[in-house]
Amino acid sequence: MQRSDDQGSLTVPVRLGERSYEVDVTEGGWDRLPGRLRAAIDRSWAGRGCRKALILTDDHVAALPYPGLVRDALESLEIETIQSVVRHGEASKGLGTAEKLFEQLVAFAADRHTLVAAVGGGVIGDLAGFVAATFARGLPLFMVPTTLLAQVDSSVGGKVGVNLPRVKNIVGAFHQPIAVWIDVATLNDLPDRELRCGLAEVVKYGVILDAPFFEELEADAGAILERRPASLRRIVARSCELKADVVSRDEREETGLRAVLNFGHTIGHAVEATAGYGGAFQHGEAVAVGMVAESRLAERLGWVDAAFTGRLIRLLERFGLPTSLRGLAPGPLLDAMARDKKNQGGRIRLVLPRRLGTVELTDAAGVEDLRSLLEDLCRPDAP
Ligand code: NAD
Ligand code: GLY
């Protein structure tokens, strides 16, 4: 359960035994960071041995105050810092960049107590996390996510990794951070399209786990789009709380529970891959059309009715997200789905809605059901 303080900051615990940590969701409030960091470092194996930190960011975020605020907090704890700035974008999330960071850590005489602080979006979090997971067999990791997507998804849960040239996120580890610090004021600088992409994941939490949260998003959409801090704090904290609950029950995606987070992602990944990464569909946009398509499939199985999908479409459109596969080629989408890592024994496995707030991982739909669905949804005159 999240708790709040008298300045309206919210704290969400992620319960993972000795790897437990807390996610602070604030607006400003950076004067509290040194105390929160000290406590988190002292709880970790690094403890008072932590004397150095590498701050990783990208060139966009380096121009904002946040890496400097993290540096000031660390230096106030007498932790020496160096900063590394990589070029923004997915291309930096690769083994080449990781190798340069390893070399930088060696030159900095880093040891097992050296902290890695990620200040940026999901690319920075995944890359910094990968470096932290592997250098010297594991360094403490501190996440300061600055995109909505990173705040509600990638900074919590411990999945870290890098891409190979043709395969996304294929080299990685589970490596939980020691703390996550989220200032929703960072979102004031975020381009609208990036905000919308994060909102697709927020809507997803409502559909898969929390009907009242979905209703809150419907009611509060205007304030969210205006980036009112109280609304942003609430939706970010609730999203983190929902994700933390899933992660604490299935940290390594072994029981199928964590897989519910992939609602919209099976068709969404296929859309993203066939349209080309960084192309017509960004990740959150692909997830939005993927959720609608997967909801249509659930309709065909008799699990939900058309009104359910209509309601989902209305909320996504309110957030300025795409909802249609019109004009895409169904064949390549199906081929990409056949390669999805959730598949087992030749059956395509998807997470489909049962009702608002409840989904199920299933292989109830066969390849022919999917082919027919995609052919219908991709028609030039499809809704
Ligand atoms: P990103 O990190 O590329 O950030 C998007 C853009 O926003 C970049 O240009 C960045 O420089 C800029 N930016 C960041 N913060 C900003 C700010 N406050 N103001 C202005 N601009 C800012 O992309 P993303 O969408 O945050 O993350 C996508 C990545 O996250 C992908 O690599 C994806 O695979 C990964 N991801 C990981 C997980 C996980 O569980 N580990 C989950 C979801 C996504
Ligand atoms: N983004 C899905 C997960 O963390 O499991």
Side-chain angles (χ1 to χ4, degrees):
M1 198 58 196
Q2 56 181 259
R3 56 178 201 274
S4 61
D5 69 11
D6 50 9
Q7 286 148 35
S9 293
L10 301 165
T11 299
V12 177
V14 185
R15 295 184 210 285
L16 286 164
E18 60 180 16
R19 291 183 308 290
S20 296
Y21 54 97
E22 291 189 326
V23 181
D24 285 307
V25 185
T26 74
E27 189 222 354
W30 286 79
D31 53 325
R32 288 176 49 243
L33 180 58
R36 299 292 291 148
L37 253 178
R38 181 75 272 161
I41 293 170
D42 287 352
R43 272 197 310 271
S44 79
W45 71 93
R48 298 279 157 164
C50 177
R51 312 300 307 208
K52 294 183 178 189
L54 168 75
I55 300 171
L56 181 66
T57 191
D58 73 19
D59 53 338
H60 285 160
V61 182
L64 302 173
Y66 309 111
L69 288 165
V70 172
R71 183 199 56 223
D72 293 348
L74 286 163
E75 292 188 349
S76 76
L77 301 176
E78 296 181 350
I79 294 172
E80 182 193 354
T81 63
I82 49 167
Q83 179 170 299
S84 192
V85 181
V86 300
R87 194 178 142 65
H88 67 276
E90 196 68 32
S92 287
K93 209 179 102 176
L95 287 169
T97 324
E99 186 176 354
K100 287 189 192 124
L101 294 167
F102 293 145
E103 292 292 355
Q104 207 170 355
L105 283 166
V106 171
F108 189 41
D111 63 18
R112 291 234 331 109
H113 301 91
T114 300
L115 182 79
V116 176
V119 188
V123 163
I124 292 301
D126 281 11
L127 174 65
F130 176 73
V131 167
T134 48
F135 187 87
R137 300 190 182 80
L139 307 183
L141 172 67
F142 172 49
M143 294 288 214
V144 184
T146 62
T147 63
L148 183 60
L149 180 119
Q151 294 180 354
V152 299
D153 190 355
S154 58
S155 64
V156 175
K159 281 190 183 174
V160 299
V162 293
N163 306 321
L164 293 182
R166 280 183 299 279
V167 200
K168 263 193 82 169
N169 295 328
I170 193 70
V171 181
F174 288 98
H175 187 66
Q176 299 293 344
I178 61 164
V180 182
W181 176 264
I182 298 176
D183 176 2
V184 294
T186 59
L187 303 179
N188 292 335
D189 297 296
L190 200 65
D192 282 342
R193 191 174 180 192
E194 300 293 347
L195 187 83
R196 289 198 292 268
C197 283
L199 287 171
E201 300 286 355
V202 174
V203 170
K204 178 194 78 177
Y205 288 117
V207 177
I208 64 173
L209 292 164
D210 190 348
F213 185 47
F214 188 94
E215 285 156 15
E216 183 188 330
L217 296 173
E218 291 176 316
D220 212 25
I224 293 166
L225 288 167
E226 283 170 21
R227 308 185 191 204
R228 289 207 202 137
S231 298
L232 292 177
R233 263 197 320 254
R234 239 189 353 263
I235 65 165
V236 169
R238 184 62 185 147
S239 299
C240 290
E241 190 173 39
L242 290 166
K243 180 158 184 184
D245 182 51
V246 169
V247 168
S248 65
R249 289 188 284 147
D250 182 20
E251 185 182 9
R252 289 176 170 258
E253 207 162 318
E254 286 160 344
T255 66
L257 180 61
R258 188 165 177 163
V260 301
L261 299 173
N262 289 321
F263 172 56
H265 285 62
T266 307
I267 294 181
H269 278 151
V271 169
E272 214 180 345
T274 53
Y277 290 113
F281 286 90
Q282 288 199 7
H283 179 72
E285 294 163 342
V287 168
V289 297
M291 288 193 287
V292 173
E294 291 173 14
S295 181
R296 291 276 182 229
L297 187 61
E299 272 180 48
R300 290 186 178 198
L301 295 172
W303 286 17
V304 296
D305 59 16
F308 176 93
T309 313
R311 192 172 168 190
L312 173 60
I313 290 175
R314 275 194 302 284
L315 183 57
L316 293 170
E317 288 182 344
R318 179 82 175 88
F319 285 142
L321 286 157
T323 55
S324 169
L325 292 177
R326 202 173 30 243
L328 295 179
L333 286 179
L334 204 58
D335 290 346
M337 286 176 66
R339 292 192 295 271
D340 190 274
K341 52 185 183 247
K342 285 186 299 305
N343 296 339
Q344 267 180 9
R347 304 282 299 177
I348 293 184
R349 299 215 300 169
L350 287 134
V351 175
L352 298 181
R354 279 283 185 190
R355 60 183 173 279
L356 196 58
T358 304
V359 287
E360 209 174 292
L361 178 63
T362 176
D363 60 8
V367 174
E368 284 318 310
D369 299 318
L370 269 167
R371 189 186 309 280
S372 137
L373 175 90
L374 293 174
E375 279 168 358
D376 287 350
L377 296 183
C378 292
R379 279 199 332 265
D381 58 345

